[in-house]
Amino acid sequence: MTVTRFAPSPTGYIHVGNLRTALMNFLIARKAGGEFILRIDDTDPERSKEEYVDAIKEDLEWLGLTWDRVERQSLRLERYEAAAEELRKMGRFYEVFETPTELDLKRKKQLNMGNPPVYDRAGLKLSDAEKDALRAERGGYWRFLLDQERIEWADGIIGDMSIDAASVSDPVLIRADGQVLYTLASVVDDTEMGVTHVVRGADHVTNTATQIQIIQALGGTVPSFAHHSLLTGPQGEALSKRLGTLSLRDLRAQGVEPMALLSLMARLGSSEPMELQTEMATLIEGFDIGQFGTAPTKFDVADLFPLTAKYLHAQPLDAVADEIAALGVPAEQADAFWNVVRENIETRADLAGWWTLLSEGAEPVIDAEDTAFVAEAMALLPEGELTSDSWGAWTAAVKEATGRKGRGLFMPLRKALTGMSHGPDMSALLPLLQVIKARG
């Protein structure tokens, strides 16, 4: 069975970069009829917050990215320690004591000599007495001993990958304070939870190489890996500094519709054209990880609003009925109201402005040369109930009385009634203008 996972750290709100990873793993699992795991990476007790755990779940639920089960890494610490002990017994785990300053000096020396800044494995040369002495003055931490050979895998996006382990430092898996780091926890979880496919950012490629060796050392099955390109801004600029302003809850607050966001993210960076989908099932069926490229992927938040508008324009009344009712629109007018304004909103929040216009009126916009014309036209407004025929009858009477026609006839009237030079068909809008009806 296909099993995928999304493993966010609850140290902040998830953003569009996280979403790309979550969505790809979700779609792969759902298309294969498999399992999608939400795995909370909360091994850092100081930075992890329960409020962010709740926020992650809330954001995923808003998007419809439902999970089959939730796992908490903080509840699995004994499993990571058991794996660490197993690695110690097989001679693949060793204790080191260098401070960050000492490591930095070593890196600089290696670079000055023209060598890659790879850890020199000095910890392996320490005697038991030397280790005891170092432990007395500082905490030791643990590295995994890599086999210095080529690590190869067939990446689902990048293609065939090969990394020389000799060019990579032995990864630190447990810090001096005992905290288990992501590399070890992820390997243990993926192995024990039967994860078959892992999709994540291209910044994890080297990490994947080391994890493959750890998986193999622990006797696990290496999953299929795929590394998607990283997002950039619309001009190709680094997006990392802006991700804090691109959280999913910020996008939701701005009125972005879930299917607009998902439709864009499911095709962004692929060879397939972006198509707005209105159903999750269609999105799932059309997803193909093999269509994605390796080039940096440009993301522009502005692209989400035309998609949101297009999505809303196609929605039936039922999809917005609650928002319309909350505005105070009478139930008998809800359908007419929605049909009039639906193609003139960008987000649901725009509904409020249209109801204010219809129920309270707008500040008239009347050009100086149109003052007399508008006054004469308003005097000719039909009395009684306004219908869909009223606009045509009224403008015909105004045309006959004033001689105006075309844009010179219609635009001043629209601006006088709505305060805008564009908007819905006035034949449909006029009957809903309660202020005008009251005046009539």
Side-chain angles (χ1 to χ4, degrees), residues 151-153 207-217 222 225:
I151 303 170
E152 299 178 341
W153 73 93
N207 188 40
T208 291
T210 60
Q211 284 190 334
I212 286 174
Q213 280 206 9
I214 302 170
I215 292 169
Q216 293 169 334
V222 177
F225 285 99

Side-chain angles (χ1 to χ4, degrees), residues 338-379:
W338 175 235
N339 287 329
V340 165
V341 306
R342 64 195 302 167
E343 294 189 2
N344 290 272
I345 62 171
E346 187 174 58
T347 69
R348 293 173 190 254
D350 295 337
L351 291 168
W354 283 107
W355 180 241
T356 297
L357 165 66
L358 293 173
S359 61
E360 301 176 13
E363 185 68 29
V365 174
I366 303 173
D367 297 335
E369 63 271 22
D370 293 324
T371 302
F373 165 74
V374 170
E376 185 176 358
M378 293 304 294

Side-chain angles (χ1 to χ4, degrees), residues 271-333:
S271 59
E272 297 291 318
M274 210 300 297
E275 296 179 353
L276 177 65
Q277 304 295 342
T278 57
E279 300 291 339
M280 182 67 80
T282 311
L283 203 66
I284 293 169
E285 182 60 30
F287 183 74
D288 181 0
I289 193 73
Q291 297 299 313
F292 287 82
T294 59
T297 302
K298 294 181 180 180
F299 171 81
D300 190 346
V301 69
D303 292 337
L304 293 171
F305 295 99
L307 288 173
T308 288
K310 185 177 180 181
Y311 174 83
L312 288 173
H313 298 171
Q315 294 305 298
L317 173 62
D318 288 349
V320 293
D322 290 344
E323 287 93 339
I324 289 176
L327 294 174
V329 180
E332 64 275 13
Q333 290 187 336

Side-chain angles (χ1 to χ4, degrees), residues 1-7 35-40 69-76 79-80 185-197 221:
M1 179 176 69
T2 296
V3 180
T4 66
R5 45 73 166 180
F6 174 51
E35 184 176 54
F36 176 62
I37 301 171
L38 173 60
R39 195 166 74 207
I40 305 298
R69 74 177 199 260
V70 177
E71 298 284 354
R72 298 286 292 260
Q73 291 190 325
S74 60
L75 301 179
R76 292 177 48 79
R79 298 303 310 141
Y80 310 141
S186 181
V187 163
V188 174
D189 289 345
D190 287 347
T191 299
E192 297 187 356
M193 295 175 188
V195 172
T196 61
H197 294 73
T221 300

Side-chain angles (χ1 to χ4, degrees), residues 160-283:
D160 291 338
M161 286 294 301
S162 178
I163 292 179
D164 185 358
S167 67
V168 180
S169 293
D170 293 337
V172 176
L173 302 189
I174 299 181
R175 294 193 329 190
D177 62 1
Q179 183 185 327
V180 175
L181 297 184
Y182 166 83
T183 304
L184 178 60
S186 181
V187 163
V188 174
D189 289 345
D190 287 347
T191 299
E192 297 187 356
M193 295 175 188
V195 172
T196 61
H197 294 73
V198 175
V199 182
R200 54 190 179 186
D203 53 337
H204 281 283
V205 167
T206 300
N207 188 40
T208 291
T210 60
Q211 284 190 334
I212 286 174
Q213 280 206 9
I214 302 170
I215 292 169
Q216 293 169 334
L218 291 173
T221 300
V222 177
S224 296
F225 285 99
H227 294 85
H228 60 72
S229 59
L230 302 181
L231 296 179
T232 72
Q235 305 304 319
E237 70 274 21
L239 199 64
S240 56
K241 294 181 180 179
R242 295 183 54 223
L243 287 176
T245 63
L246 293 174
S247 70
L248 300 192
R249 58 192 41 234
D250 284 343
L251 296 178
R252 176 168 50 171
Q254 293 175 55
V256 171
E257 288 291 320
M259 286 308 300
L261 178 56
L262 294 175
S263 295
L264 179 65
M265 299 305 291
R267 291 289 178 86
L268 197 65
S270 79
S271 59
E272 297 291 318
M274 210 300 297
E275 296 179 353
L276 177 65
Q277 304 295 342
T278 57
E279 300 291 339
M280 182 67 80
T282 311
L283 203 66

